[in-house]
Amino acid sequence: MVVKASQDDPEKARRFREAALPYLDDAYTLARYLLRDAADAEDAVQECYLRAYKHFDSYRGPAMKPWLFAILRNVCRAEYARRKTAPTAVEELPEGGDQTPLWNEAPETPEKQLLRRFDGDTVRKLVAALAEPFRETFVLREIQNLSYREIADVAAVPVGTVMSRLARARAMLRSAWLAEQEQVK
Amino acid sequence: MNCEEAEVLVHALIDGELDAGHAREVEAHIEGCAHCAALMKEYQEIRQAIAESDVRYKAPLELRRKIEKALPQPQAAPSRRSVLRGFAMGSAVSAMAATGLVAIVLRNDDEQRIENEVVSAHLRSLQAGHLIDVVSTDQHTVKPWFNGKLDVSPPVIDLTAQGFTLIGGRLDYVNAREIGAVVYKRRQHVINLFVAQTASTDRKSAKISTLQGFNIRRWSDRGLNYWAVSDLGADELTEFGDKFEGAMRANKEG
Ligand SMILES: [Zn+2]
C-alpha cells in the first residue's frame, strides 16, 4: 500500500498515528472475529488504516474507535462479498433473518448449577461460532465495550436492532455454552 | 411486562442502557419471575466469564510495521530513511531485528529529536483528561495494565514513601512507536517517566538536560531507555531518578 504524494504530510501522519494506532489491537481483534481468518484480518486492518488515513481530514470525532470500526466493517463486508464466490462462503442469515422473534428459540429452563468456566481458546471458539449479524453485535458490545449508540453507528442500524441482535446473540451463546458444558462433562 | 419483553430488555438492563423507568419495570418483572431472574443471572455469569477470559487478539508486529511504512515518516533524516529502506527490502530481516535497528540508528543522531518529542508528549499529557489511562496508586494495578499493550511493559515502582506518588500509567507515542508512560506526582508537579525498549543492554548513567523550560533526566539500563520529564527543578528530578534506580536495584537483588 502506498500513500499518494498529496497525502505525504508528516504533521497529519503524526496526528493520525497518535489518534489511531493505539486501537490497532482492537481493530485486529474485531477483524479476527468478523473474518475468522488471521491473514484476511491482517489485510483488512491494513486496508482500514489506509482508508482511515485518507479520510482523516474529514474526521470530526467524537470517538476514534467507533469511527475506525465503521471503516473496518465496510472493508470486511467487501471481503465477505468476495468470499461469496469462493467455495467457503461465510454463512449469513437471509435478509430480515434477525427479525425472527426471540421467543422462537425460547431459552430452556436455566440450570441450577453454576456455569462452567472455559479457557480463552474455548470462549473464542464459542464467540466465533455465532452467526452474523449477531457475532458482530456481540463482539462490539462484550469485547470492545461499545455503547448501543456506538454499535448502531458502526453497523448502520437503529438502536432497537442492536438491542434485539444482542438479545439473540446472548441467547445463542448461552445455548452453545451449555452444550459445550454438556459435552465436556 | 411479560417474559418475552423481559427477555430482550434484560440485556439492556445488564448493559446499563435502560432509562430509570424501564429499568424499574424490568427489575419488577424479574423479582416476580424465577425464570427471568435465573436467565439474567446466567447472562451475567457468561458476561463475567468472557470479561475474565483472554478473548482478544494482539496485532502482529508485521502488521504494525506495514502500516507504519505506508504513512509519511515524521521529519525523517535522510540517513535514517535510507537505512530503513535498506532493511525493509530485506525480507529475511525479522521484525524484532528491525525494531532493534531503529533503536540503534536513532541513538546516533536523533537523540535531540526524541527529547523534543518526549517534551511534547509531556505537554500533551498535561491537557485536561490526557494524563492517565489507568488511574491507580497501586503498582500491582498499573503494571499488569501495560501487559499486552506494549511489547515490553515498563517497570512500575511505588515511590510514595520516598516522596513521589505513583498516580497511574498511560500509553503514549514517541518516535513513531507506542511507549509506556508511568506518571508520578510531587506536590502539584507531574513527572512523566517514559520507558522504551532499546537494542543495547549497556547501562548509561543519567544525564540532565533542559528543553522548553522542562527538565529531562535520561538514562538507560537493562535494555530500557528512560526519560523522566517534569517542571520540577533539576535537583528534585535527580532525586526522583536516584530513588527510582535505587528501588530497581533493590527489586533485582531482593
Ligand atoms: Zn419472566
Side-chain angles (χ1 to χ4, degrees):
Chain A
M1 73 187 193
V2 176
V3 173
K4 284 198 296 282
S6 61
Q7 301 279 337
D8 196 0
D9 173 356
E11 171 57 20
K12 179 186 169 187
R14 189 191 62 74
R15 281 188 297 114
F16 179 74
R17 280 191 170 87
E18 209 167 87
L21 277 181
Y23 299 109
L24 188 60
D25 286 342
D26 292 325
Y28 182 70
T29 297
L30 179 59
R32 281 295 294 264
Y33 280 107
L34 291 184
L35 296 172
R36 301 193 287 206
D37 179 274
D40 286 350
E42 207 173 312
D43 290 347
V45 171
Q46 190 177 345
E47 175 65 19
C48 160
Y49 270 78
L50 181 60
R51 285 194 202 176
Y53 180 67
K54 218 150 93 190
H55 297 118
F56 190 51
D57 290 327
S58 62
Y59 168 68
R60 297 283 177 276
M64 174 54 66
K65 193 158 113 168
W67 185 72
L68 278 174
F69 283 2
I71 297 173
L72 180 59
R73 181 179 181 274
N74 287 334
V75 173
C76 291
R77 286 184 78 81
E79 172 64 19
Y80 288 148
R82 192 188 65 73
R83 282 188 195 174
K84 281 252 162 69
T85 59
T88 52
V90 176
E91 97 286 6
E92 270 213 79
L93 292 194
E95 198 56 41
D98 59 313
Q99 300 308 324
T100 319
L102 181 66
W103 47 93
N104 276 7
E105 43 182 86
E108 58 273 44
T109 309
E111 311 262 311
K112 288 282 173 286
Q113 81 210 59
L114 279 180
L115 279 162
R116 204 192 132 104
R117 291 293 172 107
F118 296 118
D119 57 48
D121 281 346
T122 306
V123 177
R124 277 197 279 225
K125 188 191 79 184
L126 290 174
V127 173
L130 291 173
E132 286 297 9
F134 311 106
R135 189 187 338 136
E136 168 187 86
T137 310
F138 185 85
V139 170
L140 288 172
R141 173 62 224 157
E142 297 289 44
I143 300 179
Q144 305 287 2
N145 287 317
L146 262 52
S147 70
Y148 286 12
R149 178 73 256 163
E150 288 173 326
I151 297 170
D153 289 344
V154 170
V157 294
V159 171
T161 305
V162 172
M163 216 185 274
S164 62
R165 284 182 183 176
L166 189 60
R168 276 290 295 282
R170 285 198 179 129
M172 287 154 89
L173 184 72
R174 173 180 171 275
S175 302
W177 197 287
L178 296 175
E180 180 81 19
Q181 193 161 314
E182 205 52 44
Q183 208 171 43
V184 296
K185 219 176 240 174
Chain B
M1 180 170 297
N2 58 32
C3 287
E4 286 170 11
E5 287 169 318
E7 278 176 19
V8 174
L9 289 179
V10 72
H11 298 282
L13 181 68
I14 290 172
D15 291 322
E17 295 263 359
L18 279 188
D19 61 52
H22 284 97
R24 268 196 301 275
E25 278 186 53
V26 179
E27 281 162 353
H29 174 88
I30 284 169
E31 259 174 53
C33 174
H35 170 80
C36 286
L39 261 185
M40 174 156 142
K41 191 162 161 289
E42 275 192 6
Y43 286 134
Q44 280 170 323
E45 272 177 42
I46 291 178
R47 184 154 200 252
Q48 184 70 21
I50 288 174
E52 288 166 11
S53 309
D54 178 23
V55 290
R56 301 177 52 82
Y57 294 91
K58 188 164 168 49
L61 202 57
E62 180 61 22
L63 172 60
R64 195 175 287 269
R65 208 167 66 80
K66 276 193 273 185
I67 292 170
E68 280 287 352
K69 230 178 74 187
L71 297 173
Q73 294 304 308
Q75 311 153 26
S79 61
R80 188 164 73 97
R81 204 171 228 168
S82 58
V83 174
L84 288 173
R85 194 174 294 136
F87 82 68
M89 282 191 287
S91 57
V93 179
S94 77
M96 264 326 281
T99 314
L101 185 52
V102 173
I104 292 163
V105 173
L106 293 179
R107 218 171 38 249
N108 295 333
D109 54 357
D110 287 6
E111 216 165 293
Q112 181 69 34
R113 181 176 62 79
I114 292 176
E115 286 200 348
N116 267 308
E117 284 198 26
V118 162
V119 168
S120 301
H122 178 75
L123 276 169
R124 271 198 313 273
S125 80
L126 300 179
Q127 293 164 15
H130 283 73
L131 187 58
I132 299 172
D133 292 333
V134 56
V135 183
S136 177
T137 55
D138 181 356
Q139 54 187 337
H140 303 297
T141 304
V142 178
K143 173 83 182 166
W145 180 84
F146 280 112
N147 291 344
K149 295 190 172 66
L150 292 167
D151 294 332
V152 172
S153 304
V156 178
I157 292 181
D158 186 4
L159 295 172
T160 307
Q162 287 91 336
F164 299 93
T165 313
L166 173 69
I167 60 170
R170 182 179 77 250
L171 281 187
D172 213 312
Y173 220 77
V174 169
N175 192 29
R177 286 164 71 190
E178 278 190 291
I179 178 171
V182 186
V183 189
Y184 294 88
K185 246 181 178 172
R186 164 162 268 193
R187 298 185 305 277
Q188 77 279 27
H189 303 278
V190 169
I191 304 167
N192 268 298
L193 179 61
F194 297 95
V195 186
Q197 198 181 1
T198 165
S200 157
T201 51
D202 295 346
R203 191 176 182 286
K204 283 211 293 184
S205 54
K207 215 179 65 186
I208 284 262
S209 51
T210 305
L211 211 65
Q212 299 172 41
F214 294 97
N215 285 312
I216 307 168
R217 185 186 192 272
R218 187 197 180 303
W219 71 98
S220 305
D221 191 22
R222 295 167 204 268
L224 295 175
N225 285 333
Y226 296 87
W227 297 263
V229 188
S230 180
D231 62 344
L232 275 177
D235 50 341
E236 281 187 292
L237 193 61
T238 300
E239 184 191 338
F240 168 78
D242 290 345
K243 295 268 162 70
F244 182 90
E245 289 194 277
M248 282 291 284
R249 274 194 300 276
N251 272 5
K252 291 276 140 64
E253 285 153 16

